[in-house]
Amino acid sequence: PGDRMSGAGELIIEGVVTTLNPDHEEGVLEDVNISPMGPLASEEMESLLLKPYTSSRTYRNLKRHGEGVFHITDDVELIARATIGKAETPLAATREITGRYLQNACRFYEFRVEELDDRKERTRIHCRVVHSERLRDLLGFNRARNAVLEAAILTSRTAFLPPGDILRQLDELQVLVDKTGAEAEHRAFSLLRDHVEEARRHQAAGNEAR
């Protein structure tokens, strides 16, 4: 999320990507990795450019398996839970690839990797969409949902940005959630704030131990 677009006819779309985890990998309890991601997509949604870091499970899974699913959803609580690694949602088998899609998404796009460049920490993975389906209408976003989405992007950067700085930005977004959010948006925002506050406590404990 946040990368500059590379040209006309392309846009960054925030959503959720599922990839298959390898069997019996140490520390992996689930078959499917669910991760928020904002790929650069063609207007026709025929191609996707993903830019996960080499430290991410999405990158490792796509390099190993080369197939995944990108989802468009208005469920910001799902996006929040995926951001902190606690997404639990119904899954179903894909049609054209070997994978799983989120049953409560609005649309999903099955894709195959065509080119993977991992010479830098931020990889570039060019993918071709091979199948797509609409599952339900997109209800849309209000100010609270947009605020949760921005909060999720900030929370995903706790490894790179000081947690205190992130919390100050969350304070500004909290106002929008308080004014226009329903229960789901409040729950999602609280999950994200708790995660960042926990990161700040860990950082403070580490500084005291030095």
Side-chain angles (χ1 to χ4, degrees):
D3 281 358
R4 181 170 56 86
M5 291 184 288
S6 64
E10 297 176 312
L11 63 162
I12 293 174
I13 301 180
E14 302 296 341
V16 177
V17 170
T18 57
T19 53
L20 291 184
N21 292 323
D23 294 334
H24 311 303
E25 181 178 358
E26 184 178 356
V28 177
L29 301 178
E30 304 293 340
D31 295 334
V32 179
N33 183 65
I34 304 174
S35 178
M37 194 160 295
L40 187 67
S42 63
E43 284 188 346
E44 300 80 13
M45 293 298 292
E46 296 174 347
S47 62
L48 302 168
L49 172 60
L50 279 64
K51 299 181 180 181
Y53 287 94
T54 54
S55 58
S56 71
R57 191 171 301 282
T58 296
Y59 156 73
R60 296 196 299 273
N61 286 350
L62 288 178
K63 184 167 186 177
R64 176 186 56 84
H65 178 58
E67 295 179 335
V69 187
F70 175 67
H71 305 77
I72 292 176
T73 181
D74 51 19
D75 184 349
V76 292
E77 188 171 5
L78 169 62
I79 293 174
R81 289 187 175 278
T83 300
I84 63 175
K86 294 182 179 180
E88 295 181 2
T89 184
L91 300 164
T94 46
R95 318 299 198 211
E96 297 294 329
I97 67 167
T98 302
R100 299 290 185 274
Y101 71 87
L102 308 177
Q103 289 183 290
N104 62 348
C106 299
R107 293 191 67 90
F108 70 88
Y109 299 84
E110 301 176 17
F111 63 81
R112 289 193 177 100
V113 173
E114 290 191 327
E115 180 182 344
L116 188 151
D117 183 352
D118 56 2
R119 290 173 293 180
K120 297 181 179 180
E121 183 182 7
R122 188 79 183 268
T123 66
R124 296 176 64 87
I125 306 178
H126 294 269
C127 307
R128 177 64 53 185
V129 174
V130 297
H131 179 75
S132 66
E133 289 188 27
R134 184 181 72 83
L135 300 175
R136 62 178 177 85
D137 290 338
L138 179 73
L139 181 59
F141 281 74
N142 64 357
R143 298 174 73 192
R145 288 184 174 183
N146 284 327
V148 174
L149 183 58
E150 290 298 325
I153 294 171
L154 287 167
T155 301
S156 71
R157 295 172 176 168
T158 52
F160 315 107
L161 299 177
D165 291 349
I166 295 175
L167 286 169
R168 281 189 286 275
Q169 294 182 69
L170 293 185
D171 287 340
E172 297 176 4
L173 295 170
Q174 179 78 61
V175 176
L176 300 176
V177 177
D178 290 343
K179 285 184 176 180
T180 63
E183 289 185 9
E185 287 75 51
H186 283 278
R187 287 195 303 267
F189 200 86
S190 293
L191 284 169
L192 296 170
R193 179 181 287 280
D194 289 347
H195 184 82
V196 178
E197 288 178 344
E198 181 66 20
R200 183 172 64 173
R201 286 192 290 271
H202 279 300
Q203 183 185 73
N207 291 338
E208 290 177 0
R210 291 191 182 99

